[in-house]
Amino acid sequence: MSYLNTPLARFHKWRLTHIKPGTFIIMLSIVVGIGGGFSAVIIKNSVWFIDGLLDNFIPEKIHTYFNFIFPIFGLSLTVLVIKYVVKRPVRHGIPNVLYSLSQRNGKIRRHNMFSSIITSSLTVGFGGSVGLEGPTVATGAAIGSNLAILFHLEYKQIMLMLGCASAAAMAAIFKAPITAIVFAVEVIMIDLTSFSLIPLLVSSITAVITSYFFLGQDVLYPFKFQATFTHGDLPWYILLGVVTGLVSAYFSKIYRLISKWFDGMSSEWKRLLIGGVLLGVIVFLFPPLFGEGYNPINSCLQGHMGYLYDNSLFDFMRGNIYSVFVFIILLILVKIFATSITFGAGGVGGIFAPTLFMGVHTGMLFALFLNTTGIHVVNENTFALIAMAGLIAGVLHAPLTGIFLIAELTGGYKMFVPLMIVASVSYLTVRLFVKNSVYTYQLAQRKELFTHDKNKAVLSMMKVNKLIETDFKPVNADASLGDLVKIIEVSHRNIFPVVDNENHMRGMLKMDDVRHLIFRPDKYEKVKVKDLMYMPEFYVSSNDSMQEVADKFHSCGRYNLAVIDEGKYVGFISRARVFSAYQKMLRHFSHD
């Protein structure tokens, strides 16, 4: 059966005739919202199922000692599933979405519609110290991407579907639809325009309703602000913002160092063994680091600090206020090691939950210090909650997401000013030390970062190797002027690359350089090409980013730049072709 006779082709024909494009996008956004909602439901229930198995089959008296074994077992299952079932890398959720937007025209492989669910459930369910938000976003985005591809949508519509899917996943997890839209705009880089607003709203609310239906309406953090903003607390909110910014910088730096260390290991089994053992030891010593950590977060918010000692070897220290300080400091310092090691060993998860975990403990430590020392009396639970917004702003470089998440979860809009202060100061502080978030630093290093700057975003999607022109006639460095004249006769270009026998670039000639000689036959054998050529001051590589190419065009004022890879001539790239491709991509990219 030919494609034109398939049901899908007939549906395409019917919907193009009977359904307006805007209406069809709204319909797809509903489907994507349901898909994102189901992703959150399935992942959450899978982890709860594994937790239940572990609790039911392992006696409580020896459960602590199994904390060492569980993470190794979960990571091993994850690696085996990726290697022998999926047979493709299962990349980290949100960076994978950003990469697909900037480098793959929004296309995400089909296996991501299920692979992140399976692998993250195994990782987190057995104690991996990461979150489920990233895998949920990755799953939702894969659904949105593949639906858009199935219905042959153009790039700007595919990008919108990825934004709708990401918003749906966040809305379903946190039951915070407004925050989900802010997240899509701030982190996934979706422009909040009239083109995108309604689909984002529809996907977000559809996902929340789906989550309500299966998971109930209880939020992850059932805590309400009891305190109100007072002017006397203002300096301490500013200082809290600085502290959360510094902790965010610590988070980002350690995460990158450990990731680099694991990347240097050639064998995945070596990474699994070393990472699994290290994670097992950490979780054994600090049980609150087991899994996502939402129960410890809620206990901390309620001011019930007994969880610090539950199932721990240090239960004998319970009730000692100084031990509380020590344990909170250790949890803050060690959490990022546990998270980074989980990823390095082959686990799959997200960093949203670890960020919130470190945030709540940073805020609690800050408030306990003020109250215990008598420097100033503050509401400990309020500071703990607001610090979570500070860590989101700092680690994810997403201050608006942090502000709206905490406000929406708690109904704490009366504390909006402190949330804004802490998130803003934290973001400004971390930017002094870290220019890119943990989501984007690798993309930024490879010049592949998709940003809200439309010019830079368009340039990031353009590739040098697709713009190289190869119809220039090369000439050998040892050739004579007569040989060059014969090449000029058949060439329609005014530039001639000079190469050796192995195609290494030796220089170049312009028509203007030899115009005065080509009508002098007496010079044909006497003058050699190597006597006339010059090596260009500016040239590019096919691996350069388009931003680098644009900068070189701007610096040199040339109309053509030679493309040289490892010393060998490849072709030329012209200013006119770059500009034409840029204009075409801009029209392709724009919602207007």
Side-chain angles (χ1 to χ4, degrees):
M1 180 186 296
S2 68
Y3 171 75
L4 295 177
N5 294 323
T6 61
L8 182 60
R10 290 196 294 271
F11 174 77
H12 284 318
K13 183 178 179 180
W14 178 85
R15 68 106 173 167
L16 289 172
T17 305
H18 295 87
I19 304 177
K20 294 180 179 180
T23 304
F24 187 67
I25 291 297
I26 297 298
M27 293 169 61
L28 274 187
S29 66
I30 294 174
V31 176
V32 166
I34 295 172
F38 270 112
S39 299
V41 170
I42 294 170
I43 287 180
K44 281 289 184 184
N45 279 295
S46 298
V47 171
W48 290 339
F49 175 75
I50 295 174
D51 282 342
L53 285 179
L54 299 182
D55 289 339
N56 292 332
F57 288 95
I58 304 299
E60 186 175 353
K61 292 183 179 180
I62 61 172
H63 197 283
T64 301
Y65 299 97
F66 274 82
N67 281 349
F68 173 76
I69 299 173
F70 290 148
I72 301 174
F73 183 69
L75 289 172
S76 300
L77 288 177
T78 301
V79 171
L80 289 172
V81 167
I82 293 173
K83 188 173 180 64
Y84 296 108
V85 179
V86 180
K87 298 180 180 179
R88 290 182 180 273
V90 179
R91 305 183 189 280
H92 298 320
I94 294 170
N96 190 34
V97 175
L98 295 175
Y99 175 80
S100 71
L101 282 171
S102 67
Q103 302 300 309
R104 291 180 51 82
N105 291 322
K107 297 177 181 177
I108 300 178
R109 298 187 188 279
R110 293 178 183 176
H111 74 79
N112 286 282
M113 291 189 287
F114 64 88
S115 59
S116 291
I117 292 177
I118 298 171
T119 54
S120 63
S121 298
L122 292 172
T123 299
V124 176
F126 285 97
S129 198
V130 290
L132 295 173
E133 301 81 11
T136 309
V137 170
T139 303
I143 294 171
S145 172
N146 283 277
L147 273 175
I149 294 168
L150 178 67
F151 292 112
H152 305 292
L153 302 187
E154 58 185 14
Y155 174 75
K156 63 183 179 183
Q157 295 170 326
I158 295 176
M159 183 170 67
L160 176 59
M161 285 300 102
L162 260 67
C164 288
S166 300
M170 292 297 291
I173 291 175
F174 290 106
K175 299 171 187 173
I178 298 174
T179 302
I181 295 172
V182 173
F183 172 81
V185 173
E186 190 172 34
V187 178
I188 306 300
M189 311 295 178
I190 302 301
D191 290 334
L192 192 60
T193 63
S194 57
F195 173 81
S196 62
L197 178 58
I198 300 303
L200 285 171
L201 282 168
V202 169
S203 288
S204 184
I205 196 64
T206 303
V208 166
I209 292 173
T210 303
S211 181
Y212 283 168
F213 189 80
F214 290 96
L215 300 177
Q217 297 187 34
D218 294 333
V219 295
L220 284 174
Y221 310 117
F223 178 84
K224 301 294 182 183
F225 281 116
Q226 302 299 324
T228 57
F229 173 67
T230 60
H231 292 87
D233 289 337
L234 178 59
W236 306 108
Y237 285 125
I238 295 174
L239 184 57
L240 178 61
V242 173
V243 171
T244 55
L246 294 174
V247 174
S248 299
Y250 166 77
F251 184 112
S252 300
K253 294 284 188 181
I254 296 299
Y255 178 83
R256 296 179 188 185
L257 284 173
I258 296 178
S259 297
K260 186 176 181 180
W261 181 57
F262 274 100
D263 288 342
M265 298 181 189
S266 57
S267 169
E268 60 185 326
W269 302 113
K270 181 179 179 181
R271 291 194 292 269
L272 173 61
L273 178 61
I274 294 176
V277 171
L278 289 175
L279 180 62
V281 170
I282 290 173
V283 172
F284 174 71
L285 293 175
F286 304 100
L289 299 183
F290 187 97
E292 285 186 280
Y294 282 123
N295 288 333
I297 289 175
N298 278 318
S299 296
C300 185
L301 287 174
Q302 300 297 333
H304 304 149
M305 307 309 292
Y307 71 92
L308 294 172
Y309 311 97
D310 291 344
N311 299 318
S312 169
L313 297 178
F314 307 101
D315 187 77
F316 65 92
M317 301 177 68
R318 189 186 298 267
N320 186 322
I321 184 62
Y322 297 106
S323 71
V324 171
F325 277 96
V326 171
F327 271 97
I328 292 179
I329 291 173
L330 287 174
L331 287 181
I332 295 171
L333 294 176
V334 176
K335 176 63 176 180
I336 184 54
F337 282 89
T339 297
S340 303
I341 290 169
T342 301
F343 287 131
V348 176
I351 63 168
F352 217 101
T355 301
L356 295 173
F357 184 95
M358 290 181 67
V360 73
H361 287 91
T362 299
M364 180 59 71
L365 179 67
F366 184 86
L368 283 173
F369 177 77
L370 293 181
N371 290 339
T372 303
T373 58
I375 296 175
H376 187 72
V377 178
V378 298
N379 186 292
E380 294 169 358
N381 301 339
T382 297
F383 269 65
L385 196 60
I386 290 177
M388 294 166 72
L391 260 291
I392 294 173
V395 173
L396 309 185
H397 287 205
L400 292 176
T401 300
I403 293 168
F404 279 94
L405 176 64
I406 302 305
E408 194 171 8
L409 289 179
T410 62
Y413 287 97
K414 61 184 178 182
M415 295 298 287
F416 219 74
V417 171
L419 284 168
M420 292 174 67
I421 292 170
V422 173
S424 300
V425 173
S426 177
Y427 177 72
L428 293 173
T429 301
V430 77
R431 290 280 292 179
L432 297 174
F433 304 95
V434 180
K435 298 302 179 186
N436 296 103
S437 73
V438 292
Y439 289 149
T440 61
Y441 83 96
Q442 287 185 336
L443 294 176
Q445 285 181 330
R446 298 195 301 262
K447 311 292 185 183
E448 297 170 351
L449 180 59
F450 188 90
T451 73
H452 280 296
D453 186 322
K454 189 168 290 188
N455 290 327
K456 291 183 178 179
V458 171
L459 286 174
S460 73
M461 293 186 289
M462 296 171 61
K463 302 300 178 190
V464 173
N465 56 14
K466 296 191 180 296
L467 299 175
I468 297 174
E469 300 174 53
T470 58
D471 57 342
F472 293 80
K473 299 292 185 182
V475 58
N476 194 278
D478 294 323
S480 66
L481 177 61
D483 297 325
L484 176 61
V485 170
K486 293 177 182 177
I487 293 174
I488 292 174
E489 288 178 347
V490 298
S491 174
H492 63 280
R493 294 288 194 169
N494 292 323
I495 298 176
F496 304 92
V498 182
V499 300
D500 61 17
N501 294 330
E502 296 179 351
N503 203 45
H504 287 97
M505 186 78 167
R506 295 305 182 195
M508 58 184 283
L509 286 169
K510 292 186 294 185
M511 189 67 178
D512 290 343
D513 298 330
V514 297
R515 194 182 304 277
H516 64 292
L517 294 173
I518 58 176
F519 298 108
R520 297 281 303 276
D522 58 307
K523 299 288 187 180
Y524 283 5
E525 296 302 325
K526 295 178 181 178
V527 178
K528 300 294 184 183
V529 168
K530 61 185 177 183
D531 300 324
L532 302 171
M533 70 181 187
Y534 67 94
M535 191 64 187
E537 179 182 359
F538 296 92
Y539 56 89
V540 299
S541 163
S542 60
N543 294 320
D544 286 347
S545 69
M546 283 307 304
Q547 183 64 58
E548 291 172 317
V549 173
D551 291 341
K552 287 185 180 179
F553 271 122
H554 179 74
S555 300
C556 69
R558 301 283 192 272
Y559 292 96
N560 294 279
L561 291 175
V563 182
I564 305 173
D565 286 347
E566 298 181 353
K568 292 192 174 184
Y569 165 74
V570 179
F572 280 83
I573 186 168
S574 69
R575 182 192 295 262
R577 189 167 186 180
V578 168
F579 181 73
S580 176
Y582 171 83
Q583 290 291 94
K584 182 178 179 181
M585 183 66 75
L586 188 62
R587 290 193 297 270
H588 183 57
F589 174 82
S590 176
H591 295 305
D592 301 324

